[in-house]
Amino acid sequence: MQTLDQLITDLKLTPKQSDVIKKYFEELTVELLESLKQDNLQNFEETISSIKSN
């Protein structure tokens, strides 16, 4: 699997294109992590509620 920098080099992107791509992937990663965080929190809350109700 290539790193983002390797891909940028292989595609011969300009510095401006490189910055746009890096920014896009940074935002995508943050969005994914936020989604995972919310899913985990919800799962924890559901588990705690289930345990408390027993």
Side-chain angles (χ1 to χ4, degrees), residues 4-48:
L4 191 53
D5 287 332
Q6 289 170 327
L7 181 61
I8 287 168
T9 300
D10 289 349
L11 295 174
K12 297 179 173 115
L13 300 180
T14 65
K16 185 175 180 177
Q17 290 170 323
S18 172
D19 289 343
V20 169
I21 293 294
K22 285 181 178 182
K23 180 76 174 162
Y24 171 77
F25 278 106
E26 287 171 0
E27 290 173 359
L28 194 62
T29 301
V30 168
E31 191 173 318
L32 175 62
L33 289 172
E34 285 291 337
S35 177
L36 288 170
K37 177 183 169 185
Q38 291 303 317
D39 287 348
N40 280 330
L41 285 174
Q42 183 173 350
N43 287 338
F44 278 122
E45 289 173 2
E46 289 172 0
T47 301
I48 291 167

Side-chain angles (χ1 to χ4, degrees), residues 44-54:
F44 278 122
E45 289 173 2
E46 289 172 0
T47 301
I48 291 167
S49 292
S50 173
I51 292 170
K52 283 183 173 181
S53 67
N54 290 333

